[in-house]
Amino acid sequence: MRRLQTVLFLLAIVALLGAIPFAGSVMGDVLWRAGIAALLVDVVCIMLWPQPRSTE
């Protein structure tokens, strides 16, 4: 699950950075919204499946 969370976070960062050159256009808006949506899904995944704690 940790890998999925990492992939979602990286996908969101790429989408947000990809929106920069298209700022003010429809493509920029789509990429921005996709990045924010991916970040929200990532937060949900983190809340639903937290990292197991060690028993040391």
Side-chain angles (χ1 to χ4, degrees):
M1 193 48 135
R2 181 62 75 192
R3 287 184 184 161
L4 176 64
Q5 293 169 356
T6 304
V7 169
L8 278 171
F9 180 73
L10 292 176
L11 180 68
I13 296 300
V14 168
L16 290 172
L17 290 176
I20 292 172
F22 300 105
S25 69
V26 174
M27 179 60 78
D29 190 43
V30 167
L31 287 172
W32 178 261
R33 289 173 188 248
I36 296 299
L39 281 177
L40 289 175
V41 170
D42 188 35
V43 168
V44 169
C45 287
I46 290 170
M47 298 299 283
L48 287 176
W49 295 283
Q51 181 72 11
R53 297 183 183 192
S54 64
T55 57
E56 292 181 37

